[in-house]
Every structure is written in structure tokens, then in C-alpha cells.
Amino acid sequence: MLEYLEKYKSNIQWDKLIELKEERDSWWQRPSSEKFSAPIHKAPEVTVDHKDFSGAEIKVGKRESISEETYDQFLNSAKSLIPWKKGPFNLFDTTIDAEWRSDQKWDRLVPFLPELKNKTILDIGCNNGYFMFKMANHLPQLVLGIDPVLPFSAQFQFVQKYAKQDNLHHELFGVEHLELFNSVFDVIFSMGIIYHHRNPIAQLIDIREALVPGGVAIIETIGIPGEESMALFPEDRYARMGNTWFVPTLSCFINWLKKAKFIDIEIIADSDLTEDEQRLTDWCPPPFQSLNDSLDPKDISKTIEGHPAPRRFCLKAKKKG
């Protein structure tokens, strides 16, 4: 069931993880889950020769290698999984232009990436696995992506049906389950997750504990401008998001990592979030909403609620060896 993790068994609360795996897998049996599982089952079986994860698009398959009927089946399944939030993917020469141009975020990371070859990696809140496929290009031993959202898992499984990367695994676990792992991962990515949870310091400590000694964490968050070490705590919504707790300044974010006993903290990014990176597309169309809907139309330096508009901060830090 979790055979790919058995070599790390001594550092995992194994019985609890198996119990969790069984419970989360049962989600697929709910009647409401049929709309997510059906597109995967209906997608045609195709042997793919062409794979390229090096560019902005995760490219898998060639249109010329499949029949018109097979292509139509594939396209119908892909469209049944709309909205696609992370991307872009290019499957059988069809670009799935997701809401997020996640390649832009990845490109900001590249100069700061630790060695990923033969490493054991965790991607927290991995969505549909776009970053996991980018990591796969670096030949890691294992990438475990966790995200307790069925539509995201379905999209990953849909892409994986053709990409067939044996070292990539997507589980319906949440960040709250990090406590089941102790000194397991060489590298942990947490991209845009921490502000969705009520205790950022506890989450950072759990990330640190899940790393091997000397392991590296790459953590990204939305933030607000300002020199002081402070965080916005919105009374209700922030940029239309109800699940936002603390939105820090950059210095506050750095201090969070220091409080969590990380060392060698580096700033990867401190940048504006723009419509070039997050916007509605044909693969994430209205009535879904995106960045433009969350900002004050008269003053884009503010959210629709009047808070400072979001910036993106990304830090790299180490666990003491």
C-alpha cells in the first residue's frame, strides 16, 4: 500500500500512516467522488514515448501518435477535470493553460535549489503535482506530494497515467500529518501553504522535524509590504480567501523560521504578484475567480477588502546538521 516508503519505516509512525492511508483512499468510494475518478478511468490507455519536463510546460505525448478518437477521449477527460489551478501542462500537444503560471515560481527557485538527484523530497500542498514533475527532471529518488483535495489528486493521476514516473507519489495527506514523519526527507517544499493554517510556527517546527539533519526547506507564502516584523491577521477574508490566517512582512517571515530553529536562511524571492502569473484561462474559466477578482479595481495596491495587496515571499533554510 505504501511500499515506496517502507525503507523509511523506522522513522515513520507506520501503523498510523497505514490507517490514514486507508481512510483517505476510502474518499474515492463516496458517490460525490465519481466526477473526479470517472475522467481518469475514461481516459484512454496510451503508451507514451515523448516526455520533457525541462521547459515551462510539462510535456507528455505527441498528438501524431494517437488516433482522432483516442485524442477526443483524452481531451474530454482533461476538460472534465476543469478547473486546472497549476500548470502549464502540454499533453499530446494540447496546452493546459492553468490559472497559475507555476513555471514562473519554479524559475525563481532554480538558482537556489539544493541538490535533488537521488534525494527524498516532500512537496506539501502539491496541488496537481506540477512542481513534482519539475523535480522529476532532477532525478530524485522519491518525491511524495501531499494534498487532501480530491480534484487535485485526480489531475495528478490523470497526468501520471501518461507520464508514468515511478518515483512520484501523490497522497491525500495534510500538513497536519507531518508529525508522523521524523528525519525522513532531504528536501521539503511548502509552496503557498503556511498562511492557510492557524499556527505557522508549529507548522515550521513540524517541517524541521520531518527533515534529516542538514536537510533543506524551501517555503513560500503570500505577504504584505513593510519593514517591521509583523503579520496581518484579517478579521474575515483576505483577497477573498476565508482560510487565510497570518500574512507576514518579509522580516516577520524570516523571524518565524528563526523561532522554529532553522539556520542559514536565504531570501529566494520578494516580488509582486501579478496577473501575468495568476489569471483566469480557458482551463480555469469564469465563474471561477482569480487574482484580478481579489484586488480593489480602483487601487490594485489593496485587496478587495482594503488590506495591502499580496506579495510573494520565498525563503530557503536548513535544519541544523
Side-chain angles (χ1 to χ4, degrees):
M1 181 181 291
L2 290 171
E3 295 85 358
Y4 64 92
L5 286 175
E6 283 191 345
K7 66 178 292 185
Y8 312 99
K9 198 172 180 178
S10 61
N11 293 79
I12 297 173
Q13 295 183 44
W14 191 254
D15 291 343
K16 290 184 179 179
L17 192 66
I18 292 294
E19 183 180 347
L20 175 65
K21 168 72 171 172
E22 292 174 348
E23 187 266 329
R24 293 299 160 103
D25 282 354
S26 73
W27 291 5
W28 291 104
Q29 309 309 315
R30 300 170 180 170
S32 60
S33 301
E34 172 67 16
K35 61 184 176 183
F36 306 124
S37 59
I40 304 168
H41 301 315
K42 291 179 181 178
E45 298 288 343
V46 177
T47 300
V48 172
D49 295 324
H50 177 76
K51 303 171 190 176
D52 182 2
F53 307 154
S54 62
E57 297 181 334
I58 301 300
K59 294 184 177 181
V60 181
K62 285 289 187 180
R63 172 72 180 82
E64 62 197 29
S65 68
I66 58 176
S67 68
E68 190 73 27
E69 180 182 3
T70 298
Y71 177 76
D72 288 344
Q73 291 174 341
F74 148 76
L75 190 60
N76 287 336
S77 289
K79 288 183 176 180
S80 295
L81 292 171
I82 286 174
W84 290 74
K85 307 290 283 184
K86 301 296 174 72
F89 294 90
N90 185 303
L91 307 180
F92 302 103
D93 295 322
T94 297
T95 295
I96 297 177
D97 186 16
E99 176 194 4
W100 281 89
R101 283 292 306 268
S102 302
D103 57 299
Q104 294 186 20
K105 188 180 292 189
W106 183 259
D107 288 345
R108 290 195 288 269
L109 299 183
V110 168
F112 298 87
L113 285 177
E115 177 62 60
L116 300 182
K117 186 175 182 179
N118 297 324
K119 300 300 184 182
T120 301
I121 302 170
L122 176 67
D123 185 0
I124 302 169
C126 63
N127 198 276
N128 59 22
Y130 175 87
F131 291 129
M132 297 170 65
F133 289 103
K134 295 298 290 182
M135 295 171 205
N137 201 50
H138 293 256
L139 306 178
Q141 179 171 287
L142 167 69
V143 181
L144 170 59
I146 60 173
D147 206 318
V149 182
L150 282 174
F152 300 160
S153 180
Q155 290 177 355
F156 172 81
Q157 291 183 45
F158 179 76
V159 176
Q160 181 74 316
K161 186 168 187 172
Y162 304 109
K164 290 183 169 59
Q165 298 296 296
D166 293 339
N167 57 347
L168 305 186
H169 298 271
H170 191 298
E171 300 289 353
L172 291 165
F173 305 156
V175 67
E176 66 273 19
H177 302 122
L178 276 180
E179 63 183 15
L180 301 179
F181 300 86
N182 184 264
S183 298
V184 172
F185 303 101
D186 299 297
V187 184
I188 295 179
F189 291 82
S190 173
M191 308 297 291
I193 301 301
I194 195 166
Y195 54 91
H196 288 313
H197 296 267
R198 66 186 68 187
N199 194 329
I201 307 302
Q203 187 175 142
L204 289 171
I205 291 171
D206 286 344
I207 290 172
R208 187 198 70 207
E209 289 300 297
L211 285 167
V212 299
V216 174
I218 293 179
I219 303 171
E220 196 228 27
T221 183
I222 56 172
I224 56 173
E227 299 300 321
E228 295 183 74
S229 179
M230 58 183 292
L232 171 69
F233 186 81
E235 179 183 0
D236 185 19
R237 293 180 176 269
Y238 175 83
R240 293 191 185 274
M241 295 182 291
N243 59 343
T244 299
W245 293 79
F246 296 92
V247 188
T249 61
L250 180 58
S251 60
C252 178
F253 187 27
I254 291 170
N255 286 341
W256 284 353
L257 269 76
K258 289 179 178 178
K259 288 283 190 182
K261 305 301 182 185
F262 280 95
I263 63 172
D264 298 344
I265 299 168
E266 295 181 65
I267 299 172
I268 294 176
D270 171 9
S271 57
D272 289 322
L273 179 57
T274 70
E275 255 193 297
D276 184 51
E277 187 170 352
Q278 186 189 14
R279 71 279 187 265
L280 293 179
T281 70
D282 290 343
W283 290 87
C284 185
F288 300 104
Q289 295 181 323
S290 192
L291 176 64
N292 192 48
D293 302 292
S294 345
L295 301 180
D296 183 337
K298 296 179 181 179
D299 182 2
I300 61 171
S301 70
K302 296 180 179 179
T303 69
I304 199 75
E305 302 87 3
H307 302 303
R311 295 179 62 75
R312 305 299 302 196
F313 302 144
C314 189
L315 300 178
K316 175 182 177 181
K318 290 183 180 179
K319 178 179 178 177
K320 189 175 180 179

